[in-house]
Every structure is written in C-alpha cells, then in structure tokens.
Amino acid sequence: MPTTVEVIDCTLRDGEQTPGVWFTVEEKVQLARLLADTGIGLLDAGFPGASGADLEAMQEMRRAGVGARIGATARPLRQDIAAAAKALAHEVFVFLPTSDLRLRETLGITRDQAAHLMRTGVDEAVGEGLGVNVVFEDATRADPAHMIRLADEVCTPGVVSRLILADSVGCAHPGGMRALVRMLAERLDPTIAICTHAHNDYGLATANTLAAVEAGARAITCTVNGIGERAGNADLAECLAALTHLYDVHHGVRADLLPELARFVERTSGIHMSATKPVTGYNVYRHESGVHVDSMLKDSRSYEVLSPRWTGRERSYVLGKHSGASLVRHILGQTNPPCEVDDDTARRLVDVVKQAVENRDKAEHERAYAAKEAFTASALAGVSPEFVLAEYDRLSTNSA
C-alpha cells in the first residue's frame, strides 16, 4: 500500500459529461484555478477532439497560468492527439475499450486491432511531446488475459506514466478491484503507476477507489461532489477524507478548501448535494438528537470521528423535535451572564421546542420540492428534440 497517492481530478471532463450539465469557458478556467489552489496537480480537463469549447477552455487555462498540469482525454486517433496538442495539454489520457463486449459490439474490432490502435495512439502522443497515460476503458468487464497482453505491449517504461483502470459501468466490487490492481501491478514496470477511475452505479465508487489503493494503486481519479455519467464518479472529498483519516495516506490536497470547491460545482453544474452527503454535506457536522447532543457536549468524539475543522467547518447543534434538555441548558449557559435553569424548566422548554416544530406548516417543503423538480426538469433537460427537428427543417430549406 503506498504512503502517498496522486489525486487526478476529472470534474472538468467526466463531471461535465453528467447529463444536462455544461460549464462555460470562464467557469472551466475558474474551476481549474480552484482545483489547482486546492493542491490537485493534474486535471483531466476535457476532450478537445470532440469539443471545440473544451479545446478553447484548455488553451485559456494555460494562458491564465493555472498551477496544475492540464490533461486531455483522447481516443488513440491522430486527430484526437493533434487536438490535445493544439489545446496546449501537458498530458493525454489515451482511452480505448478493453472488454470484448465494447470492442465487438460498439467498435466492431478485434483484440489485435485494438492493441494496434492503442500502440499507434501512444506513438502519436509521444510524437507530439505529450505525457502519456493509457486508459483501459471497461476494464472491470474485460478478459484479464487480454489486459495483461495489452499492458505488456503498450505500457512501455519511460513512455507511459500511468495505467488507468476504468470501472466504466460501475460494476466492480472492492474485492474484485483489489484483485485486478494486484494482477496488473505484477506485470507493470514500477515506474508506471496504476490509477483507478471508478463509477458509482452501485454506490461503490469510493470503496472501489480505496480498495485499489490498498492493492497498490498510486493514483486515483475523482470528481467534485461525485458528479459524472449516470450515478457519477468517486467523490473527491470522500476519497480524501478516507485516505487521510482511515488509511494515513498522504495526497497533498488542502481539505479546508473542499467546501468552497463543492459549492462552486454545485452552483455551476446545477447538481445539488444532499444535506447528508459525506464530508461536505450541510448536515455532516450538525447534531439534533438529545442523546447525541448530550454525549457530544461531554466529548465531541462521541458521535464525530471526522472533525469539522479538517474541512474548515464548524460543529453546530440544532433545536428540533428530537432535542433534549442538555442542549437547552447549553444554549442558556452561553449567554452573558449565563442563565440558570432547573430540571423542570429545562423539560418545559424542550416541550415548547418540540411543539413549535410539530406545529410548523410543511408548505415550505412542498414549495422547495416543486422548485427543485422544476429546476431539474429545465436546467438539466438539454436541448429538446423539437429544436433539432426545427433546425433540420431550416437547414434543409436553406440548402434547397
């Protein structure tokens, strides 16, 4: 298990691939700056071969002096590699499916043809002076024998920096991820770092990422707030918190800036976080239950293993339906001068609080839910099919 792990952020590329999400060029540059300031050293910043806006944004990141290396995702095709170079990328993530399902059914090519394509793509990237990372897409559904052969043929020491194993459909479990990383680590030159790219379809993206580190992966990919295709990707804050506090693995990322990153991505993506989202969620360091609060006031370790100070947050206590007398006493004791309260008065105040909560109108909940539903349906809808049909008719008429 490594003592240090490199963290690669994919929010600018895979995060933006969340259905209905897009960032402006200005937002991309600002997010790149925030990520670099947080300590992320390498960004998977876009797919310039497929998006002119990505190409422009990556060029602007370089011009703006973003303090992180800029990486471009690319297929092993000459035009994609050339686009990465034009985008002023430092490195390229050359990806190709490795599972027979994807090779045969999607691309219509054989394993031999795939190996030739990947070798050609790596050579093109080297010719452009780009740092090279090889991405085995759909690695968790691929034949291990094919991946071993591909690693032997493509992952040349001194040429390839990282081998990225992508759980593209989120079907891996931690035991399988550990086995996959160990198998390929035995084949690779130690100068080539194994990295994971985990999707969250079963809610296991963070667990699978950590399992890979346990097995020797020296790099991981994440997105802010875990946004991404379908159920999203491994969440940056969750992975960092676990690496720091559960595994004692260093990563060089500033945890105190994670809430700012989370809010920026929440606002610009339109994907709003749950209050109970781990590490950066609104409720993570808030306590209401009477038993919990009583214990927390005596020793904050009672119901918190992750200190709010780690992310620059503060602990708070909530008066609500489940509150007890300890919190009432605590609040009254914070006044200047402190208010004395006997047991009977404390109990009566608790009853008043509970009645106040239970008597509140829940119409606000309905309005908030309706507003959320309306926003999601509008902001994440993409462009309507009717727009495409109308444009088709316009173009057809003009060409005629």
Side-chain angles (χ1 to χ4, degrees):
M1 185 171 173
T3 58
T4 302
V5 163
E6 177 187 28
V7 179
I8 302 168
D9 187 84
C10 298
T11 310
L12 291 158
R13 199 269 307 166
D14 209 344
E16 195 189 31
Q17 288 176 204
T18 305
V21 169
W22 82 98
F23 301 122
T24 66
V25 170
E26 293 76 13
E27 288 169 343
K28 284 201 164 199
V29 174
Q30 187 175 352
L31 177 54
R33 279 202 185 100
L34 288 172
L35 289 163
D37 291 345
T38 306
I40 306 293
L42 176 59
L43 310 178
D44 181 356
F47 192 168
S51 168
D54 281 7
L55 191 152
E56 180 187 354
M58 292 167 67
Q59 290 175 335
E60 288 300 318
M61 291 173 203
R62 291 297 305 273
R63 294 189 185 105
V66 169
R69 290 178 65 79
I70 306 302
T73 284
R75 294 164 296 186
L77 304 176
R78 178 185 295 273
Q79 63 267 28
D80 278 18
I81 305 299
K86 185 177 180 181
L88 306 180
H90 296 97
E91 303 188 25
V92 66
F93 299 94
V94 183
F95 76 95
L96 193 71
T98 50
S99 68
D100 288 332
L101 184 153
R102 293 277 285 110
L103 293 175
R104 182 180 62 248
E105 302 300 332
T106 306
L107 300 181
I109 61 175
T110 65
R111 292 182 181 182
D112 287 343
Q113 289 171 319
H116 175 73
L117 268 175
M118 188 60 89
R119 287 195 302 269
T120 301
V122 169
D123 290 343
E124 290 282 351
V126 171
E128 292 283 1
L130 297 164
V132 181
N133 305 281
V134 169
V135 183
F136 284 2
E137 189 186 12
D138 209 15
T140 50
R141 293 194 295 179
D143 181 353
H146 173 55
M147 287 196 294
I148 288 172
R149 176 199 164 191
L150 201 57
D152 288 343
E153 293 187 11
V154 174
C155 295
T156 306
V159 174
V160 173
S161 299
R162 305 169 191 84
L163 170 59
I164 300 173
L165 305 176
D167 182 22
S168 302
V169 296
C171 66
H173 57 73
M177 183 61 77
R178 277 189 288 267
L180 177 61
V181 170
R182 286 177 182 144
M183 177 192 74
L184 288 169
E186 292 175 357
R187 308 290 301 193
L188 287 178
D189 185 278
T191 62
I192 301 173
I194 289 184
C195 176
T196 58
H197 181 76
H199 279 264
N200 204 37
D201 296 71
Y202 284 93
L204 293 172
T206 296
N208 284 328
T209 299
L210 298 171
V213 173
E214 290 175 6
R218 303 202 307 271
I220 62 173
T221 68
C222 303
T223 63
V224 178
N225 299 343
I227 66 172
E229 298 275 4
R230 304 180 312 280
N233 293 68
D235 178 80
L236 176 68
E238 293 176 21
C239 289
L240 295 180
L243 288 173
T244 302
H245 300 286
L246 302 181
Y247 291 85
D248 195 26
V249 171
H250 302 286
H251 47 71
V253 180
R254 290 184 54 182
D256 60 310
L257 296 182
L258 293 176
E260 180 184 359
L261 261 178
R263 288 191 296 269
F264 180 86
V265 170
E266 185 176 16
R267 187 174 69 252
T268 55
S269 70
I271 303 294
H272 298 152
M273 291 189 296
S274 164
T276 56
K277 183 195 170 300
V279 186
T280 53
Y282 179 67
N283 268 350
V284 174
Y285 310 108
R286 302 172 77 234
H287 305 270
E288 177 183 324
S289 168
V291 172
H292 285 218
V293 172
D294 180 67
S295 299
M296 289 289 295
L297 291 171
K298 294 169 181 173
D299 189 325
S300 62
R301 296 171 297 179
S302 298
Y303 284 100
E304 271 184 6
V305 69
L306 180 62
S307 170
R309 292 182 180 178
W310 187 69
T311 55
R313 297 269 297 276
E314 293 185 2
R315 179 181 304 111
S316 63
Y317 299 108
V318 179
L319 280 168
K321 177 180 177 180
H322 307 96
S323 293
S326 292
L327 181 54
V328 168
R329 289 194 180 93
H330 174 74
I331 291 170
L332 293 173
Q334 299 301 302
T335 60
N336 188 18
C339 298
E340 298 290 337
V341 58
D342 57 46
D343 290 346
D344 182 61
T345 302
R347 283 193 295 270
R348 290 168 61 190
L349 288 170
V350 168
D351 289 340
V352 170
V353 168
K354 292 184 177 183
Q355 289 173 13
V357 172
E358 292 170 354
N359 291 335
R360 289 176 68 179
D361 187 354
K362 299 202 78 170
E364 186 177 2
H365 288 66
E366 294 297 327
R367 288 194 297 271
Y369 181 77
K372 186 270 294 184
E373 290 285 284
F375 173 82
T376 300
S378 173
L380 303 183
V383 176
S384 71
E386 288 75 15
F387 175 83
V388 174
L389 292 171
E391 285 298 296
Y392 171 78
D393 291 338
R394 183 181 66 81
L395 293 171
S396 299
T397 301
N398 290 343
S399 62

